[in-house]
Amino acid sequence: MSLFDSAEASPLRLRSLAALRRTELSDGAWIDLLPGWLTGSDALFEDLAEHVPWRAERRKMYDNVVSVPRLLAFYREDEPLPHPVLAAAREALGAHYAEELGEPFTTAGLCLYRDGRDSVAWHGDRLGRGSSHDTMVAILSIGEPRPLLLRPRYGDAPHVRLPLGHGDLVVMGGSCQRTWDHAIPKTARGAGPRISIQFRPHNVG
Ligand SMILES: O=C(O)CCC(=O)C(=O)O
């Protein structure tokens, strides 16, 4: 268990991953869930929101170039993460899944959803090995909860809706990136800011 001092009443602490609960989806996909894995994460949210070098990206859509509706940052395997608790989280995940995954989590992608207008459309992480191999993507969510939706690409297995924020952990595993899609939809209901931290193994994106 890791502990970092914090001025907040509730210290920044990673709970044991032994409490993770697995749900089998379809086609060899599964998700592991641990609500409140990181306690005391509100101060971390403020720290990351202020100090991470967030990038606004633009992409081509038909004949226009549009803004990607969220801010992004990416840390390669050899780059220091923006807070020591994120390094501790990556290490704890690597140790927990060492046997099943057979390799460490290496990269960290961070997304800042400023309000309900920020979102990410349906997709799987199919750049790299996620398109052809079973793998894992672990997502730590801090700040205000936003629902992560999952739906199967084939067949009619029930969709999944996971409101994630305030230190919740979800791990998408097995065939999840190639047989299921996921999304954070826009919402007209007032949504506060959320940061998603995704840990992935080498060459999964
Ligand atoms: O915000 C999230 O938790 C999902 C992020 C995501 O799906 C992605 O960046 O590929």
Side-chain angles (χ1 to χ4, degrees):
M1 204 174 258
S2 302
L3 177 63
F4 294 86
D5 288 332
S6 154
E8 298 291 311
S10 173
L12 196 53
R13 183 193 296 269
L14 290 166
R15 295 169 54 214
S16 164
L17 289 171
L20 274 164
R21 287 290 166 265
R22 181 159 300 185
T23 303
E24 300 288 343
L25 301 175
S26 61
D27 302 314
W30 52 259
I31 47 173
D32 277 355
L33 192 61
L34 180 50
W37 179 39
L38 179 63
T39 63
S41 62
D42 290 353
L44 174 67
F45 177 91
E46 300 301 332
D47 188 323
L48 296 183
E50 190 177 345
H51 294 115
V52 166
W54 297 106
R55 281 187 336 266
E57 285 195 346
R58 297 181 54 80
R59 70 182 156 87
K60 197 155 189 288
M61 197 175 184
Y62 307 108
D63 287 338
N64 297 318
V65 176
V66 296
S67 294
V68 171
R70 55 182 182 158
L71 300 181
L72 303 166
F74 185 76
Y75 294 84
R76 292 189 318 253
E77 176 172 4
D78 54 354
E79 288 179 307
L81 295 177
H83 192 286
V85 79
L86 299 187
R90 182 169 62 185
E91 199 178 313
L93 287 162
H96 182 81
Y97 288 107
E99 201 173 318
E100 192 174 8
L101 182 58
E103 60 180 327
F105 291 91
T106 54
T107 64
L110 274 65
C111 305
L112 171 58
Y113 301 83
R114 292 156 291 187
D115 58 33
R117 290 168 293 187
D118 279 352
S119 62
V120 64
W122 287 108
H123 70 285
D125 293 1
R126 292 191 279 275
L127 296 175
R129 286 181 298 138
S131 63
S132 53
H133 289 75
D134 283 10
T135 189
M136 294 185 199
V137 176
I139 301 179
L140 170 62
S141 297
I142 60 175
E144 294 304 312
R146 289 283 296 272
L148 174 77
L149 308 185
L150 293 110
R151 70 178 183 196
R153 293 178 73 199
Y154 321 102
D156 54 5
H159 295 195
V160 175
R161 182 179 188 278
L162 303 170
L164 299 175
H166 297 306
D168 298 333
L169 172 70
V170 65
V171 181
M172 298 182 275
S175 68
C176 201
Q177 299 309 326
R178 58 180 198 280
T179 61
W180 283 63
D181 283 332
H182 55 275
I184 304 279
K186 293 184 193 306
T187 171
R189 291 193 211 113
R194 165 179 176 266
I195 292 174
S196 153
I197 301 133
Q198 310 108 40
F199 297 106
R200 297 184 178 87
H202 175 69
N203 193 23
V204 173

